[in-house]
């Protein structure tokens, strides 16, 4: 309707000077062009990109596979940094933590555990569970926002703790936990990523059970946190949030594009 209204206004001005502008064929062609334009505009977008100038950086949100990205990666962990699934009881076999072991380390659990132990050696646990209370998995609990930097360049993996796993093996997080986790992540990226590109998932949308926030809200929370901290000091030259294709239909990409454009145009937001 927008396209048809605009085209009609143009034709009303040019009509007297253009022969046959009011013919059936011309009207049909105009309506067809408007419908085609409208369908293209209504097609769901699979990618949104926004360039910022303060600081100089790019934010991308796209559907895809996190482990296919040729960038540094972010993977969410619980506060015990468990890695073994124990038949799916501790770590869900479909989670990114399980995929990290399978696809990032070729199933070599010993190597992943060694790197985690080295990365967490300087961090003091805030609590330790008794084996009788937590029969499976690890016992030491680390502060929310702890980041374990794994791997070697050119591809580091930043494992950030933003949820707490109960002794019933259910991971739970909240907005405050996620915000604290994101703060720790940005600090770690600033210290170790050397401004290289970083890809991260839509943390909080899966098994961490931040169920009272929809994916749109989670995404905006992540992006607001990143932009706000980037304006204090540059974090990376590109942040890429990779959502699973099945999540895309629950995200309004056009509204997201408008949201990012507003953030980029107003440096005080």
């Amino acid at each position: 309707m927008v396209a048809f209204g605009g085209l009609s206004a143009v034709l009303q001005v040019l009509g007297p000077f253009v022969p046959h502008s009011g013919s059936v064929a011309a009207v049909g062609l105009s309506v067809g062009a408007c419908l085609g334009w409208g369908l293209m505009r209504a097609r769901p977008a699979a990618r949104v990109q926004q360039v910022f100038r303060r600081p100089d950086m790019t934010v991308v949100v796209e559907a895809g596979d996190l482990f296919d990205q040729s960038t540094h990666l972010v993977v969410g962990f619980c506060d015990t940094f468990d890695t073994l699934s124990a038949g799916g009881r501790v770590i869900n076999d479909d989670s990114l933590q399980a995929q990290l072991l399978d696809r990032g380390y070729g199933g070599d659990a010993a190597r992943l555990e060694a790197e985690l132990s080295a990365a967490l050696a300087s961090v003091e646990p805030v609590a330790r569970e008794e084996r009788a209370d937590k029969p499976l998995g690890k016992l030491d609990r680390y502060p929310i926002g702890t980041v374990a930097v794994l791997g070697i360049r050119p591809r580091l993996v930043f494992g950030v703790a933003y949820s707490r796993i109960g002794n019933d093996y259910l991971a739970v997080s909240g907005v405050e936990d996620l915000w604290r986790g994101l703060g720790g992540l940005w600090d770690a990226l600033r210290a170790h990523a050397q401004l290289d590109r970083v890809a991260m998932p839509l943390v909080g949308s899966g098994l961490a059970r931040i169920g009272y926030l929809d994916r749109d809200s989670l995404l905006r929370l992540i992006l607001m946190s990143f932009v706000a901290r980037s304006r204090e000091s540059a974090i990376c030259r590109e942040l890429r949030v990779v959502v699973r294709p099945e999540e895309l239909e629950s995200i309004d990409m056009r509204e997201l594009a408008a949201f990012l454009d507003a953030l980029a145009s107003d440096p005080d937001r």
Side-chain angles (χ1 to χ4, degrees):
M1 293 299 293
V2 170
F4 189 72
L7 187 58
S8 297
V10 172
L11 289 177
Q12 287 180 16
V13 174
L14 298 180
F17 307 100
V18 179
H20 310 297
S21 62
S23 67
V24 174
V27 172
L29 183 62
S30 300
V31 172
C34 293
L35 286 174
W37 182 85
L39 289 172
M40 289 183 61
R41 292 280 296 174
R43 184 178 58 186
R47 191 175 193 270
V48 169
Q49 177 175 315
Q50 179 65 54
V51 176
F52 289 75
R53 296 304 180 196
R54 206 193 87 181
D56 187 11
M57 63 184 186
T58 302
V59 172
V60 176
V61 179
E62 64 181 5
D65 188 325
L66 181 71
F67 290 94
D68 287 342
Q69 310 299 314
S70 57
T71 63
H72 298 314
L73 302 181
V74 175
V75 175
F77 277 81
C78 60
D79 60 339
T80 55
F81 285 89
D82 279 300
T83 56
L84 295 179
S85 67
R89 290 192 61 191
V90 180
I91 301 297
N92 188 283
D93 292 331
D94 294 328
S95 68
L96 286 177
Q97 290 169 259
Q99 291 184 50
L100 174 64
L101 175 59
D102 292 339
R103 300 174 62 181
Y105 287 80
D108 189 346
R111 181 161 69 94
L112 176 56
E113 288 293 350
E115 290 188 14
L116 274 173
S117 296
L120 297 172
S122 61
V123 183
E124 186 70 24
V126 294
R128 181 176 175 83
E129 296 292 336
E130 296 293 334
R131 179 54 72 189
D133 297 326
K134 189 172 183 282
L136 301 173
K138 298 179 182 179
L139 301 177
D140 287 334
R141 295 188 178 277
Y142 292 89
I144 295 296
T146 299
V147 179
V149 183
L150 310 172
I152 58 175
R153 297 186 186 279
R155 193 191 205 190
L156 299 176
V157 176
F158 293 82
V160 54
Y162 72 96
S163 64
R164 295 178 173 85
I165 187 169
N167 291 342
D168 56 0
Y169 312 116
L170 294 179
V172 179
S173 186
V175 172
E176 185 176 349
D177 291 334
L178 179 57
W179 190 264
R180 188 179 298 118
L182 291 172
L185 174 62
W186 309 142
D187 289 340
L189 291 177
R190 186 179 290 124
H192 299 281
Q194 297 182 354
L195 299 181
D196 289 339
R197 295 179 300 161
V198 177
M200 67 178 295
L202 182 55
V203 293
S205 64
L207 298 174
R209 294 173 173 81
I210 310 181
Y212 46 86
L213 289 182
D214 59 22
R215 290 184 174 91
D216 269 321
S217 300
L218 282 171
L219 191 49
R220 295 186 186 210
L221 181 68
I222 292 168
L223 297 176
M224 284 180 61
S225 176
F226 174 72
V227 172
R229 292 295 292 270
S230 293
R231 285 180 173 148
E232 297 175 5
S233 179
I235 296 172
C236 58
R237 69 171 183 264
E238 179 181 298
L239 178 70
R240 189 179 304 171
V241 182
V242 181
V243 300
R244 298 192 302 269
E246 59 269 22
E247 293 178 322
L248 195 61
E249 63 182 21
S250 61
I251 298 173
D252 190 331
M253 298 292 271
R254 297 190 184 282
E255 288 293 327
L256 178 64
F259 172 74
L260 283 171
D261 182 66
L263 287 181
S265 61
D266 186 354
D268 295 325
R269 294 180 67 177

